[in-house]
């Protein structure tokens, strides 16, 4: 048997990888296995390489080889990056060795197998190294890549292909009517960024929205497209075919208005009616809609998306001038400032993405505004100057705004009106980032119609509904949290009306219908009178409903249904009481937990729960225990981040795993329950064991606060959001006082469709018979046990859903405070004797559309 | 001005300050690396420099060479990533240049830093413009040498070096990476600051602070 003359050292970031590669090579050895050592991973078992360990392995292997044999030596095989550096450094560290050492450029697995086999034959170092170096040949031969195989010795040459040196050049003519305006530019930039190539259009960096937009390329302009880099050819081809395709806009007259981007037409153009892009049927059925025909006239008319019902009339005002003062003293910590800027950009990027998804569900072009905004956030033309200034010591806010201002001013100087309008986008994005950087409110202390590029939920929350008659936004979405808050506050809102909103002068009278999306700027006197009449009619209808809001909601057949409110603060609760809520069906406690560095104390929570209960003046308050997960990380719960937080450790799952969060909350509720009628409700329940554990935790909390028995008013219930919980409601019902169906999440889980995702939003309809069947299941399981069934979720505020839910057996509905009066009104119209068979019929239908049609026909 | 002021104790303070700065900026370094690399630069350097700081102890004395060599060896065996061999080599080569001297003047310190840079370049085979730590280190040492030639002491020269390193780091943002893990991203690496250049700035700022007569207001940098 031949004695090996060559030893091998394997250097890898990963010990398991190295050992597996060695095992693989070991299978091939017919003769004697060569001396081999592995230097892989860090000492603590992580990924990494250690030159000292490599040097020790070299010394160890070298010592086992015949020193007097001229062919003897050590071959080192490495994976990538630091493995190579550590291998080289190890040669220095090891000093003089009895045999030569050679570092192999071969890929680790192929090289190792070849080297081990060759060394096993007793070959010398030169032969083994050559065999390892050719280790790729078999694979390349198989894949037909012979050209590279012959160049294997000089990978640098092979990699530098033609595309690397010679730019790929092509020419293309812009064919779509408005040229490279915002949306096509956004599409193009996004495309260009996907390639490993630097693409330029007439010299402008195709990865920069600002640069491409600044070309001002209108219809008929011929552009030179050049690309360099590994994927230059593919990138240029893709860009050329996108431009040549007209961006799907066509080339003719059919899109004269580019609807969605600028839906507010000017009076001079004499536009009459812009069609409502979103049909009324099937959309936001929960909002009562009042439609009085308005005669057409040559005035300024517009359309947006209806987001919160009601008629709003008043002078326009906007936030944009209320920017907080920019800091101007030099910042001490550029790293910190840069990090703050990046984190503000990340935050805005996240919210812009969510809005874009939600908005494109409406099918209009408003989503393009967001896509353009998203691109601006990554635009080097905005970011680089800002970061440069930050590294030179400027505060992030000042640096960012200076960069935004410069970029916007550059756009404003262009001839093309479309591109000039993009300055609004730049400033809009700039402001959003600035607000995140500086925090603070926009000081919304003014009356009339708020105009904004977009509003954040906290902006709406700060508005005074007595002063602000309506909200009109350029972008935004009817399903955003801001819209939900506007509905709750009773402020009419139209969103997505296009950036022309930002050109309406402050003080101009604006009238809008938040139920239809209709908007009129500066209406003539006769039309203004028409709007006033509509507003009066809506008000009168509402007054009539509100007048009875404080009375119980009793169906025609005499069954009382509790209509409660979903609240998240004491202020919400006070409003809910004023709106006639019979209680709080869902107190969201997350506000107490978010945006802080430590969890709230038991006493803090006690004060909050007692204050909410006090505001409800003796009506029951249902406290939902903390419902957070990977989508709402908090600093004091480490490692919340998950790939799919909605299917991860959230709600009760998290609470049971982190009793240090749950127990103080339960103790606070138990203490508050001594003085107020309270209920505890746990979210995200899946199993019976979870409910038992939660119940035990509550009992322990009651005992811990020194109450011998649970306070008489203290109830315990669960949320039914997980389909499995609905299906085993019969096992859960005996353990609880009530079951509250969270239809928002239940709908998403049942239909596997996220509400915020435009692509599937149409699927996520709570009136889908599949969702209703689960509601039926829960009711059938609960009623025999005397367990109440509630619904808390947007579905409960949907007037089409009310008769179905009651018909199935639901007896409590919890909705936004602003919807209480309307839902009570809907309840009063229900006759259970008719609703029960109607609901049964609905269960047998095939789609939400059929269900809505059934209810409408009824 | 070229007095022999750079004692082993000052070099020890440098290492401590660098360790503290890396700890403070750990997340930022890792964030930079996550954009274009394998998201471990901050963690790796922190692990390495924490080990170095522990090994250096409170009041190092005697010849400077063994201090720097110990730092280099510790980095080589604890960092794990490419910055281990690179920073390790930097300190090992600097240690070689310092030899048995117990105190250095500005020129001697410059020689040591230059030897470190040469080691880094030999190890990483990086040229200026490849979007690596060399893009911060090379202009820094040029600025250092210029300042010394203009009559500055070690402290002033180190401050100039830190400033030049920061400028070099910022300039890496626009570059396309040609070395290291980031080079796999090709053109997409442009627009991101190189993490190695960023930590190099910390290295030189720590040096300038340690050399400053009045230590900078940086409590975390004092061991």
């Amino acid at each position: 048997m031949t004695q090996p003359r060559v030893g091998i050292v394997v250097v890898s970031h990963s010990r398991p990888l190295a050992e597996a590669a060695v095992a693989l090579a070991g299978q091939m050895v017919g003769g004697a296995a060569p001396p081999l050592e592995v230097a892989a991973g860090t000492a603590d078992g992580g990924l990494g390489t250690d030159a000292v360990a490599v040097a020790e392995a070299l010394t160890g292997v070298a010592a086992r080889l015949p020193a007097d044999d001229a062919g003897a030596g050590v071959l080192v095989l490495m994976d990538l990056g630091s493995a190579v550096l550590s291998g080289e450094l190890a040669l220095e560290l090891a000093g003089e060795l009895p045999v030569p050492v050679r570092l192999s450029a071969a890929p680790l697995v192929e090289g190792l197998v070849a080297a081990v086999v060759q060394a096993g034959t007793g070959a010398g170092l030169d032969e083994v190294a050559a065999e390892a170096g050719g280790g790729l040949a078999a694979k390349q031969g198989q894949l037909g890549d012979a050209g590279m195989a012959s160049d294997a010795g000089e990978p640098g040459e092979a990699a530098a292909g033609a595309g690397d040196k010679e730019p790929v050049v092509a020419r293309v003519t812009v064919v779509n009517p408005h040229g490279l305006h915002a949306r096509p530019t956004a599409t193009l930039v996004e495309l260009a960024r996907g390639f490993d190539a630097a693409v330029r259009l007439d010299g402008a960096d195709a990865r920069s929205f600002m640069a491409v937009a600044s070309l001002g390329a209108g219809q008929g302009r011929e552009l030179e497209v050049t690309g360099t880099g590994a994927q230059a050819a593919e990138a240029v081809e893709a860009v050329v075919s996108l431009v040549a395709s007209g961006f799907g806009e066509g080339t003719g007259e059919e899109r004269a208005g580019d609807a969605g981007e600028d839906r507010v037409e000017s009076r001079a153009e004499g536009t009459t009616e812009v069609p409502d892009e979103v049909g009324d049927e099937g959309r936001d059925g929960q909002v009562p809609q009042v439609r009085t025909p308005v005669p057409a006239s040559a005035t300024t008319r517009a359309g947006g998306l209806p987001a919160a019902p009601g008629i709003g009339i008043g002078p326009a005002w906007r936030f944009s001038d209320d920017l907080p003062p920019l800091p101007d003293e030099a910042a001490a910590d550029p790293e910190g400032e840069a990090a703050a800027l990046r984190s503000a950009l990340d935050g805005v990027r996240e919210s812009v993405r969510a809005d874009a998804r939600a908005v494109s569900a409406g099918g209009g072009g408003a989503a393009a505004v967001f896509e353009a905004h998203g691109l601006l956030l990554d635009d080097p033309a905005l970011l680089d100057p800002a970061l440069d200034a930050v590294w030179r010591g400027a505060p992030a806010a000042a640096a960012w705004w200076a960069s935004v201002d410069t970029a916007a001013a550059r756009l404003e100087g262009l001839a093309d009106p479309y591109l000039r309008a993009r300055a609004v986008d730049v400033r809009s994005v700039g402001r959003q980032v600035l607000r995140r950087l500086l925090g603070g409110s926009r000081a919304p202390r003014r009356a009339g119609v708020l105009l904004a590029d977009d509003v954040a939920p906290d902006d709406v929350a700060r508005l005074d509904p007595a002063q602000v008659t309506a909200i009109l936004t350029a972008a935004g979405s009817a399903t955003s949290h801001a819209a939900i808050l506007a509905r709750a506050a009773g402020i009419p809102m139209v969103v997505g009306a296009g950036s022309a909103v930002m050109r309406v002068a402050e003080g101009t009278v604006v009238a809008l219908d938040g139920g239809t999306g209709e908007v009129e700027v500066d209406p003539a006197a006769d039309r203004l009178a028409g709007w006033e009449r509509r507003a009066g009619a809506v008000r009168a209808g509402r007054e009539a409903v509100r007048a009875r809001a404080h009375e119980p909601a009793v169906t025609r057949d005499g069954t009382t249904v509790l209509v409660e409110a979903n609240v998240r603060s004491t202020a919400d609760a006070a409003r809910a009481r004023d709106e006639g809520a019979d209680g709080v069906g869902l107190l969201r406690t997350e506000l107490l937990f978010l945006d802080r560095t430590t969890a709230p104390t038991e006493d803090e929570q006690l004060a909050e729960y007692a204050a909410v209960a006090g505001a409800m003046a003796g009506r029951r308050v249902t406290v939902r225990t903390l419902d957070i997960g990977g989508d709402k990380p908090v600093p004091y719960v480490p490692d919340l981040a998950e790939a799919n937080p909605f299917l991860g450790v959230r709600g009760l799952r998290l609470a049971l795993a982190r009793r240090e969060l749950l127990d103080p909350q339960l103790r606070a509720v138990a203490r508050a329950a001594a003085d107020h009628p309270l209920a505890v409700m746990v979210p995200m329940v899946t199993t019976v064991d979870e409910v038992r554990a939660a119940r035990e935790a509550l009992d322990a909390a009651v005992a811990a606060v020194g109450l011998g028995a649970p306070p008489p008013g203290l109830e315990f219930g669960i949320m039914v959001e997980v389909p499995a919980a609905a299906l085993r409601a019969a096992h859960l019902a005996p353990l609880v006082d009530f079951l509250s169906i969270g239809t928002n999440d239940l709908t998403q889980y049942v239909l596997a469709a996220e509400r915020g995702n435009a692509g599937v939003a149409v699927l996520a309809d709570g009136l889908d018979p599949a969702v209703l069947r689960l509601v039926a299941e829960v009711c059938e399981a609960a009623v025999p046990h005397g367990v109440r069934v509630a619904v808390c979720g947007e579905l409960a505020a949907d007037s089409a859903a009310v008769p179905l839910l009651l018909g199935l057996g639901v007896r409590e509905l919890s909705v936004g405070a602003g919807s209480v009066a309307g839902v009570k009104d809907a309840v009063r119209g229900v006759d259970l004797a008719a609703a029960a068979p109607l609901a049964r019929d609905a269960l047998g239908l095939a789609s939400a559309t059929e269900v809505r049609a059934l209810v409408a026909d009824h | 001005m070229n007095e022999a002021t750079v004692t082993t104790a000052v070099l020890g303070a440098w290492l401590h300050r660098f360790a503290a700065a890396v700890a403070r900026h750990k997340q930022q370094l890792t964030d930079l690396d996550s954009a274009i690399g394998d998201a471990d630069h901050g963690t790796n350097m922190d692990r390495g420099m924490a080990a170095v700081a522990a090994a250096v102890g409170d009041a190092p004395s005697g010849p400077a060479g063994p201090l720097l060599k110990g730092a280099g060896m510790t980095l080589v065996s604890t960092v794990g990533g490419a910055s281990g061999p690179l920073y390790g080599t930097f300190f090992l080569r600097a240690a070689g240049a310092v030899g048995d001297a117990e105190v250095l003047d500005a020129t001697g310190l410059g020689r040591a830093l230059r030897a470190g840079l040469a080691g880094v370049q030999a190890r990483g085979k990086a040229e200026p413009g490849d979007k690596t730590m060399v893009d911060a280190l090379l202009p820094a040492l040029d600025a250092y040498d210029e300042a010394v030639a203009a009559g500055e002491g070690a402290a002033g020269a180190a401050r100039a070096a830190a400033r030049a390193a920061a400028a070099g780091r910022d300039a890496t943002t626009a570059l396309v990476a040609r070395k290291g893990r980031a080079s796999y991203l090709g053109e997409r690496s442009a627009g991101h600051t190189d993490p190695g250049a960023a930590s190099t700035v910390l290295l030189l700022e720590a040096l300038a602070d340690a050399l400053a007569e009045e230590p900078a207001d940086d409590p975390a940098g004092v061991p």
Side-chain angles (χ1 to χ4, degrees), chain A residues 601-649:
Chain A
T601 63
E602 182 182 322
D603 286 344
E604 244 177 282
Q605 296 189 58
L606 169 64
E608 175 74 10
Y609 306 148
V612 170
M616 291 310 291
R619 299 171 185 84
R620 191 184 57 210
V621 172
T622 303
V623 181
R624 181 177 70 185
T625 57
L626 183 60
D627 187 17
I628 59 171
D631 57 318
K632 293 177 200 159
V634 291
Y636 46 89
V637 184
D639 307 326
L640 263 187
E642 294 176 322
N644 196 342
F646 287 94
L647 301 180
V649 182

Side-chain angles (χ1 to χ4, degrees), chain A residues 258-340:
Chain A
D258 194 29
E261 207 157 274
D262 275 309
R263 297 198 209 170
V264 177
E265 305 292 336
S266 78
R267 182 195 296 256
E269 287 164 40
T271 311
T272 51
E273 184 91 45
V274 175
D276 211 346
E277 289 209 354
V278 180
D280 295 319
E281 297 299 326
R283 178 188 183 80
D284 281 351
Q286 71 269 35
V287 297
Q289 293 176 348
V290 179
R291 301 202 66 179
T292 311
V294 178
S297 78
T299 183
T300 309
R301 301 279 301 284
L305 305 174
I311 305 290
I313 308 168
W317 63 277
R318 57 169 64 94
F319 291 129
S320 51
D321 299 325
D322 302 337
L323 281 178
L326 296 173
D328 53 3
E329 66 276 18
D333 173 20
E335 290 264 355
E337 293 292 307

Side-chain angles (χ1 to χ4, degrees), chain A residues 131-153:
Chain A
E131 194 65 18
L136 266 187
K139 206 196 261 176
Q140 283 163 334
Q142 169 78 19
L143 299 175
D145 199 2
M148 278 198 65
S150 64
D151 284 347

Side-chain angles (χ1 to χ4, degrees), chain A residues 174 178-181 185 204 209-219 221 223 411 414-420:
Chain A
V174 177
H178 294 302
L180 296 184
H181 61 89
T185 302
F209 180 88
M210 293 286 308
V212 176
S214 298
L215 284 173
Q219 190 176 23
R221 162 111 171 238
L223 295 169
L411 285 172
L414 295 173
D416 186 318
Y418 279 96
L419 294 170
R420 281 206 303 274

